[in-house]
Amino acid sequence: MTFMTTVAGIPCRCQVTLYSPGVPMRTTGFGFGDADPPEPEEFEFDILDRRGFPAAWLERKLTDDDYDRLLEEYRRERGAWAA
């Protein structure tokens, strides 16, 4: 999935290459050893210019806040597609 966004105020596209929702811990028996550990949410993406070409120079401008914002934007876009 690809959606329009901005990085450092520059319009671009975010192409999601991997999304895996997190999975909580699951107990399969009576003891703590009988449990599957939780799996964290995974989100990987490439930043493309407005024409759809890879923009490594723009990816270098990403901050931790941008990562969180892009994940939220992806969730919103995915929800819009599902509706």
Side-chain angles (χ1 to χ4, degrees), residues 7-54:
V7 172
I10 302 168
C12 59
R13 296 174 187 248
C14 178
Q15 181 179 34
V16 179
T17 56
L18 171 74
Y19 177 76
S20 176
V23 177
M25 183 179 84
R26 184 177 66 128
T27 55
T28 56
F30 296 106
F32 187 73
D34 298 330
D36 294 332
E39 296 177 16
E41 181 178 46
E42 294 182 65
F43 179 61
E44 294 179 11
F45 57 88
D46 292 322
I47 296 296
L48 312 174
D49 64 15
R50 287 187 287 179
R51 292 189 214 156
F53 295 104

Side-chain angles (χ1 to χ4, degrees), residues 1 72-83:
M1 166 188 246
E72 286 302 316
E73 288 180 16
Y74 169 71
R75 288 178 182 148
R76 255 185 275 129
E77 290 286 328
R78 187 186 66 198
W81 278 88

